[in-house]
Amino acid sequence: MFENVDPKTMLKVKKVGYPLFWLALLPILPLSALAGRESGTQDYWAWFIYFTIFGIIPILDYIIGKDSANPDEALEVPSLSEEKTYRWFTLLMVPIWFGVLFWGGYIFIANDYSWFGMLGWMLSIGTVGGIIAINLGHELIHKDPKIENWAGGLLLASVTYAGFKVEHVRGHHVMVSTPEDASSSRYNQGLYAFLLHAFPHNFVNAWRLEADYLKRKGKKVISKDNELIWWYGISFALGGVFYALWGWMGVLFFFGQSFFAALALEIINYIEHYGLHRRVLENGKYERVTPAHSWNSNYLLTNIALFQLQRHSDHHAYAKRRYQVLRHYEESPQLPGGYASMYVLALFPPLWKKVMNPRVEAYYQGEMDQLFRTGKRVNNIAATAE
């Protein structure tokens, strides 16, 4: 539908598309919370948001189509990067998310859900948290202004995943698409094996990276200088507020939605780098990160919903670029669908491998041996990135 639209028009479409998507999605929240009360079907409606995101949006993605337009690097990118409309919208989403979070806690208690409804509501709100709190938190923690960087940390604290602020920037972006990175899924690795490794590794690695950083600065690890202590402290303080408002059921909701938000993130991590690798050079170091080390997707609707996270190739090559100027690269490996579609596919490892393994193999013709590297194999020669 948008394949032949000129780049200037696409920039205008996306500028209004970011807020319009959320104006369309957010009203679904009260609909799913209020529907079914009189008929006793509220347990089923609790799942409606989740099935909207991963059922309806993938269909709309294919109907609306792709956008491969890039802003002009010399004429448009400098002004677009400084345009405050884009920046303030991301910051506006912070109080909006906290409103959704606390309202979600109220509904969790007020709707008299069975265990099935409780699970569906935590999964639904947690998925929204994955899109807003973690996805936007990801955008903001890469930015230098303190108001943005701290807002990103606050969003991550709201889903008890503050370690991402440290591990993602200092760990994942350094070792992406190597065996040392737990957030880069391996060729032929199933989703559930990936998750069992990624969750504990990334939590521990965040603390290790922060400890190493503080030691280099001559500061104590257990001190006010450890930002993870602050962010996780905020998380548990929020848990305390939920307890004060709604008792242990409030605590269950807060940490339940946190888990599902983090789960959504790690599933997306699985998708973003599946099977891709950085070559080991003659000097024993990994090649530099390029747009070839992340899967790219140009499906317009999910790119608008995720603030162009799907242009992940450009993000990893130039981590501080703002979402509105992220570019499409023809040479990057391309996903066959948007993230919402690929999320559903990843839940079924045999189907995922049937679709994605041939794409990985085609992309790496002639060097398939490197797809089966392990961390131990290159540990001594590639401990640092070039």
Side-chain angles (χ1 to χ4, degrees):
M1 186 184 295
F2 287 93
E3 281 291 332
N4 299 317
V5 176
D6 69 275
K8 289 185 182 296
T9 302
M10 277 308 309
L11 285 175
K12 295 177 182 177
V13 168
K14 287 190 282 191
K15 185 174 183 178
V16 299
Y18 298 122
L20 279 178
F21 175 84
W22 289 103
L23 284 173
L25 182 66
L26 288 175
I28 296 175
L29 295 173
L31 169 64
S32 62
L34 299 174
R37 284 183 172 182
E38 294 184 1
S39 61
T41 58
Q42 67 267 30
D43 284 344
Y44 301 100
W45 282 97
W47 295 78
F48 184 67
I49 300 166
Y50 184 75
F51 285 112
T52 296
I53 294 171
F54 296 116
I56 297 174
I57 287 179
I59 295 171
L60 293 176
D61 234 359
Y62 285 105
I63 293 173
I64 293 171
K66 299 180 182 179
D67 150 46
S68 58
N70 289 332
D72 186 280
E73 200 64 25
L75 299 177
E76 295 171 321
V77 167
S79 59
L80 274 172
S81 298
E82 295 301 319
E83 191 169 338
K84 290 186 170 136
T85 303
Y86 296 98
R87 193 175 308 185
W88 286 110
F89 179 61
T90 57
L91 292 173
L92 176 63
M93 293 298 289
V94 177
I96 288 175
W97 161 243
F98 273 89
V100 169
L101 178 61
F102 278 90
W103 172 81
Y106 165 76
I107 294 298
F108 186 75
I109 303 301
N111 261 15
D112 192 27
Y113 288 129
S114 71
W115 69 267
F116 182 73
M118 288 179 183
L119 179 63
W121 189 246
M122 287 189 292
L123 180 58
S124 290
I125 298 300
T127 301
V128 174
I131 298 174
I132 302 179
I134 295 188
N135 180 46
L136 271 184
H138 165 262
E139 168 72 17
L140 294 170
I141 61 175
H142 280 288
K143 304 302 176 280
D144 293 326
K146 284 187 176 179
I147 187 173
E148 291 179 286
N149 195 272
W150 290 359
L154 185 61
L155 285 170
L156 294 172
S158 73
V159 291
T160 324
Y161 217 59
F164 181 81
K165 186 176 188 296
V166 170
E167 205 287 328
H168 178 79
V169 175
R170 301 182 215 162
H172 175 59
H173 269 263
V174 175
M175 302 309 295
V176 64
S177 293
T178 73
E180 283 77 12
D181 179 37
S183 292
S184 297
S185 51
R186 313 288 180 260
Y187 171 77
N188 213 41
Q189 182 181 30
L191 172 65
Y192 303 106
F194 168 82
L195 292 173
L196 287 173
H197 178 57
F199 271 118
H201 178 278
N202 290 340
F203 178 81
V204 172
N205 201 39
W207 287 94
R208 182 187 64 79
L209 290 167
E210 181 67 359
D212 290 346
Y213 170 78
L214 291 171
K215 288 173 183 175
R216 288 196 303 271
K217 295 289 184 180
K219 298 177 179 179
K220 294 181 178 179
V221 175
I222 306 300
S223 69
K224 63 179 177 59
D225 298 305
N226 188 324
E227 69 169 302
L228 290 178
I229 292 176
W230 283 99
W231 296 123
Y232 278 113
I234 291 173
S235 296
F236 284 95
L238 285 169
V241 172
F242 274 75
Y243 175 78
L245 291 172
W246 300 296
W248 288 112
M249 294 302 290
V251 174
L252 173 64
F253 170 79
F254 176 72
F255 288 109
Q257 65 82 30
S258 293
F259 171 76
F260 287 120
L263 180 65
L265 161 72
E266 294 299 351
I267 293 175
I268 296 304
N269 273 341
Y270 174 83
I271 293 166
E272 288 170 338
H273 305 285
Y274 179 76
L276 302 179
H277 66 264
R278 286 154 63 191
R279 297 167 182 86
V280 179
L281 304 177
E282 290 183 1
N283 62 6
K285 295 181 180 180
Y286 288 118
E287 64 180 324
R288 292 184 184 276
V289 179
T290 73
H293 300 123
S294 305
W295 289 96
N296 198 69
S297 177
N298 277 318
Y299 282 87
L300 178 61
L301 181 60
T302 38
N303 254 333
I304 287 175
L306 297 173
F307 297 86
Q308 299 211 114
L309 178 69
Q310 295 179 143
R311 291 191 167 186
H312 209 60
S313 301
D314 200 20
H315 167 69
H316 266 279
Y318 305 94
K320 289 187 181 292
R321 277 181 81 95
R322 292 187 175 273
Y323 69 93
Q324 65 267 28
V325 294
L326 289 173
R327 295 163 291 187
H328 162 69
Y329 287 90
E330 287 292 340
E331 65 269 27
S332 298
Q334 305 295 317
L335 289 171
Y339 278 6
S341 305
M342 302 309 292
Y343 176 105
V344 176
L345 187 65
L347 297 177
F348 304 94
L351 289 177
W352 170 269
K353 292 175 184 180
K354 186 173 182 179
V355 171
M356 291 301 297
N357 281 8
R359 286 172 166 79
V360 176
E361 292 161 9
Y363 198 71
Y364 287 119
Q365 283 185 355
E367 52 182 290
M368 285 291 292
D369 60 308
Q370 292 211 43
L371 294 181
F372 299 97
R373 296 180 313 183
T374 66
K376 292 179 181 178
R377 180 177 173 184
V378 296
N379 201 31
N380 294 327
I381 62 173
T384 59
E386 183 184 44

